[in-house]
Amino acid sequence: MAKEEYEVADTVDITDQVCPMTFVVAKAALAELEIGEVLRVHLADGEPMLNVPRSFRDDGQQVLALTPAGDGAFDLDVRKLEEE
């Protein structure tokens, strides 16, 4: 299966945040987007990498990718499917 192509509409860096603020800041950034747009969340390894994707899924959003960013952090791509 081919990798889905998509355009990232906005990016938010939450590497300086701690839980639960990691998801609060990421969710606020996603709320600014239109349905169908993609947000890239730059997040730290550990708790944020485990909790933020799960929280977006629980909120009804689509997690597209979680990839190493090359700086010890990760990039999470999320498509907005529902209004917050």
Side-chain angles (χ1 to χ4, degrees), residues 48-78:
M49 191 186 76
L50 298 173
N51 294 336
V52 174
R54 184 191 69 235
S55 295
F56 274 126
R57 282 188 202 97
D58 290 350
D59 267 7
Q61 311 307 338
Q62 181 184 16
V63 173
L64 299 170
L66 179 62
T67 55
D71 61 355
F74 290 81
D75 286 330
L76 171 69
D77 293 346
V78 180

Side-chain angles (χ1 to χ4, degrees), residues 21-61:
M21 290 307 296
T22 51
F23 184 62
V24 171
V25 172
K27 184 175 179 176
L30 189 70
E32 297 296 317
L33 300 183
E34 299 294 324
I35 298 288
E37 289 187 314
V38 175
L39 175 69
R40 177 163 289 158
V41 182
H42 190 66
L43 48 83
D45 195 1
E47 259 189 280
M49 191 186 76
L50 298 173
N51 294 336
V52 174
R54 184 191 69 235
S55 295
F56 274 126
R57 282 188 202 97
D58 290 350
D59 267 7
Q61 311 307 338

